[in-house]
Structures are given as C-alpha cells and as structure tokens.
C-alpha cells in the first residue's frame, strides 16, 4: 500500500525529508507548522496545511512524520500531539543509497538519509534522525528521538541515550555512552562517557555546561 505522508515542520529538515520521499516515490500531502503565518504557504511545491486540527478530515488517509525537525525535544512533543489526536504515525524512511545490514533494527518514524553506513547488530530507536554520510559501527544502540547530524562517526558498541543530539562531523570512540538529552558539539571527539543533560564540545570533548537552555524545553514536554 502506498503511503501518503504529512511532515511536522516546514523548515530545512522537513524539506530534506520531502526530498527523501521524492527519492523513495512516497507522496507528501503537506507540512505541519504551529506558526499561523505559515499556513497556506507552499514550500518546495508542498503546501503548509496548518496544524493537526486543520487536517482532521485526512486522519484516515495519511501517516504523520514526527521527525521533521532536528530538535529532539520537539520531535517528542510532536509525537505526543499526534498520538493524542489519533493520527497514524509514519514508519521508518530509509534512503536507497544507505548501506544497511539486515541484522539491524529501525524503530517507528526514524529517518536514515543517503550515504549512511550502518554495519551489523545496530539498534535504532523511534523517531531518530541519521543524517547523510553518517557511519555507525557494530552493536551500537541509539535511543528514541536522537538526532545524528551529517558526517558523524560512531565506533562499535557506542550507546546514545534518548534525546541526545550529536553535532555535525563529531566522532565517538568505541564503547562510550552519550547520556540522555545531552548535546555534542560539531567536530568534537568523544573519548569518555558524556553525562546526560550536559553539553560537551572540543577535541577531546569535555563538558562545557551541566545544564543549558536546550534542556528546559525537554523538561516541559
């Protein structure tokens, strides 16, 4: 059965997902955006439909993509809103130019973009973004709502807990743990475990902040 999708968000990442859908031959019926001024705009040829209440008539015709934004907290909130409203959640989308072992598992609503390489026995949670040219080695575990930016390298047996964000081009050595709702700065090299609810950056990466604004949104979601 051909899927018809509606994507939360109307910014750059939502447009990337629209392109992914074009590559997969999946129809995108529209974008969702909570900003009233965006309603009825057209982005990359796709209409901004408003919010869930504006598409009530489509409830049984579409599946909702909750990972249309990079912010892990927003992804989690969009999932809650979608589930509460009774809409169906989209399954995973995997670009045809992803190298991917059949021994891996991919959770509901996750996005795997072109050029990614995922070797064996990797567990990807729900509503995860694995962006282009990411490399994830054997036995990694990626929690729900994680966002992995382009060019990230994760070695074997790395665990990334729920809601973490790993910035562009960062690398994580083997057997390390990235704590829940933490943020790893772009270009960082993670040689030690990173606690949850912190921000770390640098080569090697060190914790810069024990708490930061990014986490405030998480707490209230």
């Amino acid at each position: 059965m051909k899927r018809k999708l509606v994507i939360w968000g109307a910014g750059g990442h939502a447009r990337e997902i629209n392109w992914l859908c074009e590559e997969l031959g999946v129809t995108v019926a529209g974008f969702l955006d909570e900003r009233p001024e965006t309603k009825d705009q057209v982005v990359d040829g796709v209409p901004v439909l408003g919010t869930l209440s504006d598409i009530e008539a489509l409830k049984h015709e579409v599946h909702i993509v909750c990972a249309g934004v990079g912010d892990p907290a927003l992804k989690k909130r969009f999932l809650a809103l979608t589930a509460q409203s009774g809409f169906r959640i989209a399954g995973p989308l995997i670009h045809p130019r992803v190298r991917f072992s059949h021994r891996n598992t991919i959770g509901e609503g996750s996005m795997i973009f072109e050029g990614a390489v995922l070797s064996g026995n990797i567990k990807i949670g729900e509503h995860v973004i694995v962006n282009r040219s990411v490399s994830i080695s054997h036995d990694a575990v990626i929690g729900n709502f994680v966002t992995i930016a382009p060019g990230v390298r994760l070695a074997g047996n790395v665990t990334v807990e729920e809601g973490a964000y790993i910035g562009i081009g960062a690398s994580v050595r083997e057997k390390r743990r990235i704590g829940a709702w933490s943020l790893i700065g772009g270009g960082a090299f993670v040689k030690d475990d990173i606690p949850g609810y912190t921000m770390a950056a640098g080569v090697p990466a060190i914790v810069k902040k024990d708490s930061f604004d990014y986490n405030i949104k998480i707490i209230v979601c």
Side-chain angles (χ1 to χ4, degrees), residues 7 9-23 26-31 38 40-49 68 113 132:
I7 301 169
H13 187 69
R15 291 163 49 213
E16 296 273 3
I17 293 177
N18 181 50
W19 180 38
L20 172 60
C21 289
E22 290 175 348
E23 298 275 285
V26 175
T27 300
V28 175
F31 298 115
T38 66
D40 299 324
Q41 292 182 8
V42 176
V43 178
D44 287 358
V46 176
V48 180
L49 303 173
F113 287 86
R132 62 175 49 83

Side-chain angles (χ1 to χ4, degrees), residues 11-95:
H13 187 69
R15 291 163 49 213
E16 296 273 3
I17 293 177
N18 181 50
W19 180 38
L20 172 60
C21 289
E22 290 175 348
E23 298 275 285
L24 293 170
V26 175
T27 300
V28 175
F31 298 115
L32 297 176
D33 198 305
E34 295 178 305
R35 297 169 296 174
E37 67 273 16
T38 66
K39 187 178 178 182
D40 299 324
Q41 292 182 8
V42 176
V43 178
D44 287 358
V46 176
V48 180
L49 303 173
T51 61
L52 290 170
S53 61
D54 295 302
I55 62 167
E56 187 71 22
L58 299 177
K59 181 174 288 186
H60 302 297
E61 299 178 25
V62 300
H63 290 72
I64 307 296
V65 174
C66 299
V69 295
D71 184 328
L74 275 180
K75 287 189 283 184
K76 187 170 185 177
R77 186 163 72 82
F78 289 155
L79 173 62
L81 291 172
T82 302
Q84 290 165 8
S85 299
F87 282 84
R88 293 176 294 181
I89 308 298
L93 295 174
I94 302 173
H95 195 279

Side-chain angles (χ1 to χ4, degrees), residues 8 13-14 44 59 77 90 94 97 105-106 119 159 181 189:
W8 265 115
H13 187 69
D44 287 358
K59 181 174 288 186
R77 186 163 72 82
I94 302 173
R97 291 193 293 278
T105 60
I106 305 291
S119 61
T159 297
W181 303 104
F189 172 63

Side-chain angles (χ1 to χ4, degrees), residues 74-135:
L74 275 180
K75 287 189 283 184
K76 187 170 185 177
R77 186 163 72 82
F78 289 155
L79 173 62
L81 291 172
T82 302
Q84 290 165 8
S85 299
F87 282 84
R88 293 176 294 181
I89 308 298
L93 295 174
I94 302 173
H95 195 279
R97 291 193 293 278
V98 169
R99 297 181 64 187
F100 176 78
S101 169
H102 70 275
R103 299 179 183 87
N104 298 338
T105 60
I106 305 291
E108 178 181 72
S110 290
M111 309 283 130
I112 316 293
F113 287 86
E114 73 276 11
V117 179
L118 288 77
S119 61
N121 298 308
I122 295 168
K123 296 179 181 178
I124 305 287
E126 298 180 354
H127 310 288
V128 171
I129 295 169
V130 177
N131 225 306
R132 62 175 49 83
S133 301
V134 167
S135 174

